[in-house]
Amino acid sequence: MAKADIAARVLLREFRIDEFPVNPFELARGLDVLVVPQGMDDDVSGMLLRKDGSCVIGVNETHSHERQRFTVAHELGHLRLHEGRPLILDTDARVNYRNAVSSMATDREEIDANRFAAALLAPQEMVRRAAQRISFRTTDDLVRVLAKQFQLSEMAMTYRLMNLGIVSGPAH
């Protein structure tokens, strides 16, 4: 099991969460992380600012609710897994941005944070249990129902189901 999966599982255990949908906004609040919805360029989903022991997650207020949930979970992944990247500013702040590059997950830290977010919002055991309870004709049906239950985009749920070996390819 990957470090990101373990870290997500530990966080869920810390907050005694065993039912879905997992609320990343409440988790952030429980970790004393302020979440601030704000206007951002469309290709930026969010950012994590760490300074003087405090943390703030900025999330793009124009994005869908599902995408905002994933972004907050992704930034919590950076908080739990990574020291943070320096950003050259007139301050000593450390910032991680979630943007089009991070969503393509070519950078190791971004891959880890995406994996953490998926494991946090759609924990393996919960997804498997939920999938077993659903009678579906097509993969599309399964993805649609689970995405709604877990409050994820259909694309995010498709990837999660593929990564868990529940489905073999993207829904059509």
Side-chain angles (χ1 to χ4, degrees):
M1 183 176 295
K3 179 180 168 184
D5 297 290
I6 293 167
R9 194 175 277 189
V10 166
L11 184 56
L12 290 169
R13 227 179 277 132
E14 269 179 48
F15 284 88
R16 296 182 173 88
I17 296 171
D18 57 6
E19 293 181 18
F20 59 88
V22 173
N23 186 333
F25 296 91
E26 283 182 16
L27 285 172
R29 200 169 19 259
L31 294 169
D32 292 324
V33 176
L34 179 64
V35 176
V36 181
Q38 56 190 353
M40 298 178 178
D41 290 343
D42 195 52
D43 67 335
V44 177
S45 299
M47 59 178 269
L48 172 65
L49 171 65
R50 297 183 249 211
K51 184 176 180 190
D52 302 329
S54 294
C55 296
V56 176
I57 292 174
V59 63
N60 192 326
E61 66 188 3
T62 65
H63 288 175
S64 71
H65 174 67
E66 291 80 10
R67 184 146 180 210
Q68 288 182 36
R69 285 171 40 80
F70 195 89
T71 296
V72 171
H74 174 99
E75 300 306 340
L76 290 174
H78 280 303
L79 183 65
R80 283 298 178 105
L81 297 169
H82 310 123
E83 291 298 312
R85 266 184 235 128
L87 178 70
I88 300 168
L89 294 172
D90 290 332
T91 176
D92 58 353
R94 295 174 84 75
V95 178
N96 289 96
Y97 284 101
R98 175 154 168 70
N99 59 23
V101 173
S102 67
S103 65
M104 290 188 301
T106 54
D107 173 279
R108 181 81 247 162
E109 284 189 2
E110 295 307 319
I111 291 168
D112 289 346
N114 282 343
R115 185 167 181 151
F116 177 94
L120 186 71
L121 297 176
Q124 179 174 325
E125 300 79 19
M126 290 184 206
V127 171
R128 289 189 186 287
R129 266 197 323 266
Q132 288 173 346
R133 291 189 204 128
I134 297 168
S135 63
F136 60 93
R137 285 186 215 148
T138 67
T139 300
D140 282 344
D141 293 339
L142 178 65
V143 167
R144 203 172 5 268
V145 170
L146 289 176
K148 188 171 186 156
Q149 288 179 351
F150 284 85
Q151 295 181 19
L152 289 173
S153 69
E154 289 183 17
M155 181 184 289
M157 183 52 74
T158 298
Y159 285 124
R160 185 65 174 148
L161 293 173
M162 288 169 55
N163 289 333
L164 293 176
I166 295 172
V167 300
S168 58
H172 295 290

